[in-house]
Amino acid sequence: MATQHSRSAARFMMAPSVVLLLIWMLVPLGLTLWFSFMDYRPQRGTFDCCVGFENYARFVTSSSFQDAVITTLIMVGGILAITVIGGIFLALLLDQPFWGQGVARILVIAPFFVMPTVSALVWKNLIMNPDNGLLAYLWRFFGADPVVWLTDYALFSIVVIVSWMWLPFATLILLTSIQSLDSERLEAAEMDGAGAVARFWYMILPHLARAITIVILIETIFLLAIFAEIFVTTGGAFGTQNLTYLIYQRVIESQNIGLGSAGGIIAVILANIVAIFLMRIVGKNLDA
Amino acid sequence: MGRITLNKVTKRFGDVEVIPPLDLEIEDGEFVVFVGPSGCGKSTLLRLIAGLEDVSSGRIDIDGSDATSVPPAKRGLAMVFQSYALYPHMSVRKNIAFPMKMAGVPQDEQARRIEGAAKALNLTDYLDRRPGQLSGGQRQRVAIGRAIVREPAAFLFDEPLSNLDAALRVGMRLEISELHKRLATTMVYVTHDQVEAMTMADKIVVLRAGNIEQVGSPLELYRTPRNLFVAGFIGSPRMNLIEGPEAARHEAHTIGVRPEHIAVSGTEGTWKGRIGVSEHLGSDTFFHVHDTGLAETLTVRAGGEVDLHHGDTVYLTPEADKIHRFDRKGLRIA
Ligand SMILES: Nc1ncnc2c1ncn2[C@@H]1O[C@H](COP(=O)(O)OP(=O)(O)O)[C@@H](O)[C@H]1O
Ligand SMILES: [Mg+2]
């Protein structure tokens, strides 16, 4: 798109899809925004316009909001830490030549294709179940009392379940990045006296910086909206209620659409703040 | 010190023997050039010396002690790669400092050596830039600077000039030669370009398919190529090779005459032919002569301003004592 002419032509061609996307996006957003300023409780037949910022005030000041924000932060942070660190480790491992490398790579990617609901059910019923889950057998084998994972360590368990699903994604992106590292550069570092650890620290990690930011950016956007895993496993109990789940709970369980919509708008604003923040980091990284 | 001795060194990748048993002596302070066509194992040989590849068998001595299983960093050699292999996320200063940082050289000593190298290589103004902001020639100099500050026993260069344009290449060639004169450190230099080999080397090692075809000074190889391969590889334009009755007349299977050892005349001479393409370089003119009955084409050198043209009949006279004779196996007949 070099010339003035081709640029305006491109804009003209893109217009229909941009308009369609805008409508697609703006209509629900507008509706949510509208509802958030109303006292809208369908079961009681209340549909009163314009209560101002009352819904927002109620949503933000409720104690569950603060808890949900903290839970969300711990959840996103924990999963990011596990997937990025684990992803780097796995990517380094998969980059080594070994027998059955191709199969191993496919197996590592496999969890990413499992639907969140299914994987959460598998973890809940086959692995973490305190009566006949895999871990329960393991614990009993060593003579210990099985842990009731989804009750006693509920948040940790959900972090583990979701990390399991996102680890392949991080691994895949980091692996491609590692593979794009010029081997002569590593050899030069080796000749310059850098041992394995120094090579990782001074060569591989800086090379991965960009891929890591991209992984964090993309994962954060999705992880802020974790829902199915919580719904299927704990139903938001035992301190696993994140922002998304709180909104769902307000709308469906309390049947308060106004309050839920206000929560939704707050979530959109928070997600955008995070996204802008991350975009700037990535942007800086991409410039360098 | 930088004396390197290869003793029956071989290298196999799987079943493929890239380097058959090979002996080589590199003296301290020597500028040795490995030259040969692409894929003949020059890089592999250099990487064996560097320690980046393990030898399949044989022994490598550096300064008299066995270095065969010494890791690359401990061999005291510095390498300049074809791709330069600079660290793109570090400034030029940090690039040059990296080997010293790894070796734990004190800060002030590091600064002193960086300054020295930067001055010698005209990099002083670029020390705080990233490699991505430098031109090809400057990157090359950074790579050399990174090698110099280690004060290695020997430098290893793998086709360091092949990514530069022709003018820059000539300049860098001179700079590396001057560097060698100044430091008097052993340098092992790999190239596929025989001009680089001829102009820079104290000693040239001609390789073909991992075999050493001949070792000698540039003029030795030029005057007395040991076989047809070396005869054809060293010298530009290539030596003319003639088989058949004319060779038999000299009691050889093949004879070779360099273009610069054939006199060109419009009136009389030993061989007669017709001029095809002529290349005017100003100082010299190269004629491609056809229809001699000796070979498809003979290349001959004439003065810069001879009055001969496409289609003209010419007479060629080889200098009798500059005719190289080779037997049926392609070996030189003394
Ligand atoms: N890592 C490797 N694995 C298998 N074959 C290799 C490897 N490195 C080089 N070779 C082979 O060894 C031969 C010599 O390669 P190289 O030393 O790079 O040649 P040159 O530098 O003279 O062009 C080539 O035929 C190449 O295919
Ligand atoms: Mg090579």
Side-chain angles (χ1 to χ4, degrees):
Chain A
M1 286 200 271
T3 66
Q4 194 81 38
H5 179 76
S6 62
R7 227 173 301 155
S8 56
R11 249 184 234 140
F12 178 73
M13 308 269 223
M14 287 192 309
S17 44
V18 171
V19 169
L20 197 69
L21 270 175
L22 271 179
I23 294 172
W24 200 268
M25 218 180 74
L26 287 179
V27 168
L29 188 67
L31 274 176
T32 314
L33 204 60
W34 184 40
F35 290 155
S36 72
F37 290 107
M38 289 178 50
D39 183 9
Y40 182 16
R41 279 172 285 175
Q43 268 186 340
R44 300 194 186 176
T46 359
F47 192 73
D48 296 335
C49 180
C50 310
V51 292
F53 283 92
E54 196 181 296
N55 284 327
Y56 288 89
R58 264 184 69 197
F59 191 85
V60 172
T61 50
S62 78
S63 65
S64 31
F65 172 72
Q66 285 171 20
D67 290 347
V69 168
I70 292 169
T71 304
T72 309
L73 287 180
I74 295 174
M75 211 179 265
V76 173
I79 296 165
L80 282 179
I82 293 178
T83 52
V84 168
I85 294 170
I88 291 174
F89 182 74
L90 273 178
L92 284 174
L93 213 63
L94 287 174
D95 190 43
Q96 309 300 318
F98 59 89
W99 192 83
Q101 193 183 35
V103 177
R105 282 186 186 171
I106 291 173
L107 283 179
V108 165
I109 298 161
F112 201 52
F113 300 119
V114 181
M115 280 175 283
T117 324
V118 174
S119 97
L121 282 172
V122 167
W123 276 88
K124 180 186 180 183
N125 296 319
L126 298 181
I127 299 177
M128 288 176 165
N129 189 301
D131 294 325
N132 48 17
L134 214 58
L135 294 177
Y137 280 110
L138 198 68
W139 255 244
R140 274 194 216 106
F141 180 78
F142 288 107
D145 271 345
V147 179
V148 190
W149 290 102
L150 287 164
T151 308
D152 296 345
Y153 302 97
L155 185 55
F156 172 77
S157 302
I158 287 181
V159 166
V160 168
I161 293 172
V162 180
S163 294
W164 179 79
M165 298 183 58
W166 281 93
L167 192 57
F169 172 77
T171 306
L172 203 61
I173 291 199
L174 294 171
L175 179 62
T176 27
S177 177
I178 284 183
Q179 284 173 335
S180 75
L181 177 57
D182 179 19
S183 65
E184 280 199 350
R185 199 187 301 162
L186 286 178
E187 288 175 346
E190 191 180 350
M191 291 212 64
D192 281 347
V197 176
R199 284 205 295 281
F200 174 75
W201 189 253
Y202 291 110
M203 298 295 137
I204 297 177
L205 210 54
H207 179 78
L208 286 181
R210 187 178 302 188
I212 291 174
T213 14
I214 289 170
V215 167
I216 291 179
L217 177 65
I218 295 178
E219 282 197 15
T220 306
I221 290 168
F222 281 90
L223 294 180
L224 282 173
I226 296 177
F227 179 80
E229 293 86 342
I230 302 172
F231 183 81
V232 170
T233 52
T234 63
F238 315 116
T240 58
Q241 194 174 48
N242 67 354
L243 215 45
T244 320
Y245 204 88
L246 179 67
I247 295 164
Y248 160 79
Q249 206 241 342
R250 283 287 181 270
V251 174
I252 300 301
E253 291 175 11
S254 320
Q255 284 294 323
N256 190 336
I257 292 184
L259 193 59
S261 298
I265 295 297
I266 289 171
V268 167
I269 293 169
L270 286 182
N272 272 293
I273 291 173
V274 174
I276 289 169
F277 180 68
L278 287 171
M279 283 290 206
R280 293 186 63 141
I281 300 177
V282 175
K284 216 185 277 167
N285 242 318
L286 295 184
D287 283 344
Chain B
M1 279 293 282
R3 219 171 126 251
I4 302 167
T5 313
L6 307 189
N7 197 340
K8 302 228 170 6
V9 167
T10 69
K11 178 64 186 174
R12 275 187 301 276
F13 291 112
D15 294 337
V16 187
E17 188 168 66
V18 176
I19 309 280
L22 180 148
D23 293 301
L24 184 65
E25 189 85 28
I26 296 170
E27 299 297 339
D28 184 34
E30 223 172 16
F31 197 119
V32 177
V33 174
F34 295 166
V35 67
S38 191
C40 71
K42 308 178 295 288
S43 297
T44 307
L45 191 55
L46 198 70
R47 292 164 59 81
L48 288 174
I49 296 174
L52 293 172
E53 302 276 0
D54 294 323
V55 298
S56 300
S57 70
R59 182 186 148 114
I60 297 175
D61 287 356
I62 296 176
D63 287 335
S65 59
D66 188 355
T68 316
S69 49
V70 176
K74 301 257 156 59
R75 296 192 183 193
L77 309 175
M79 184 147 167
V80 175
F81 291 84
Q82 184 172 1
S83 67
Y84 315 139
L86 300 180
Y87 311 135
H89 53 285
M90 298 182 190
S91 65
V92 169
R93 186 190 305 279
K94 290 213 172 116
N95 263 280
I96 298 179
F98 188 73
M100 298 189 280
K101 183 173 169 182
M102 289 297 112
V105 175
Q107 286 289 337
D108 50 343
E109 172 70 8
Q110 283 191 21
R112 200 182 58 73
R113 286 199 215 169
I114 292 172
E115 199 183 319
K119 200 174 284 171
L121 295 163
N122 276 329
L123 286 171
T124 313
D125 295 340
Y126 306 100
L127 280 178
D128 294 312
R129 294 210 196 164
R130 295 270 179 100
Q133 299 164 306
L134 301 179
S135 72
Q138 288 165 341
R139 285 181 211 186
Q140 182 62 71
R141 283 204 278 269
V142 176
I144 294 175
R146 199 170 64 186
I148 291 178
V149 293
R150 291 183 55 195
E151 300 178 347
F155 291 92
L156 310 177
F157 293 92
D158 190 355
E159 310 219 12
L161 307 185
S162 56
N163 288 337
L164 302 179
D165 64 53
L168 217 46
R169 204 146 58 207
V170 175
M172 280 307 296
R173 211 162 74 194
L174 276 173
E175 282 191 40
I176 294 176
S177 293
E178 274 166 19
L179 190 70
H180 177 246
K181 294 275 177 298
R182 204 175 67 236
L183 300 176
T185 309
T186 312
M187 290 190 177
V188 184
Y189 187 104
V190 161
T191 178
H192 63 266
D193 180 356
Q194 61 94 21
V195 176
E196 274 176 33
M198 292 295 279
T199 50
M200 301 171 86
D202 294 325
K203 183 158 96 184
I204 297 180
V205 178
V206 182
L207 290 167
R208 176 169 59 166
N211 283 301
I212 295 183
E213 295 290 310
Q214 189 168 1
V215 180
S217 73
L219 283 183
E220 272 168 31
L221 299 197
Y222 179 79
R223 288 197 193 115
T224 52
R226 217 170 56 114
N227 57 32
L228 276 177
F229 179 78
V230 179
F233 198 81
I234 299 289
S236 168
R238 286 166 60 91
M239 181 187 281
N240 297 297
L241 298 175
I242 299 162
E243 294 181 1
E246 185 64 25
R249 220 166 54 78
H250 289 88
E251 292 162 353
H253 181 262
T254 311
I255 57 169
V257 196
R258 297 193 184 278
E260 54 270 38
H261 297 147
I262 300 178
V264 184
S265 156
T267 51
E268 57 184 342
T270 318
W271 301 327
K272 183 180 166 205
R274 194 177 43 77
I275 295 179
V277 175
S278 43
E279 297 170 322
H280 297 276
L281 302 183
S283 58
D284 298 311
T285 307
F286 293 104
F287 292 117
H288 296 256
V289 180
H290 305 287
D291 301 335
T292 54
L294 303 168
E296 181 101 1
T297 330
L298 292 184
T299 311
V300 297
R301 187 185 72 178
E305 289 163 42
V306 284
D307 193 25
L308 291 166
H309 302 279
H310 177 84
D312 288 357
T313 300
V314 282
Y315 296 88
L316 311 174
T317 315
E319 293 176 33
D321 58 342
K322 297 278 170 62
I323 295 175
H324 306 267
R325 301 184 305 139
F326 301 95
D327 66 15
R328 191 168 295 278
K329 286 189 195 129
L331 290 177
R332 182 183 191 81
I333 304 172

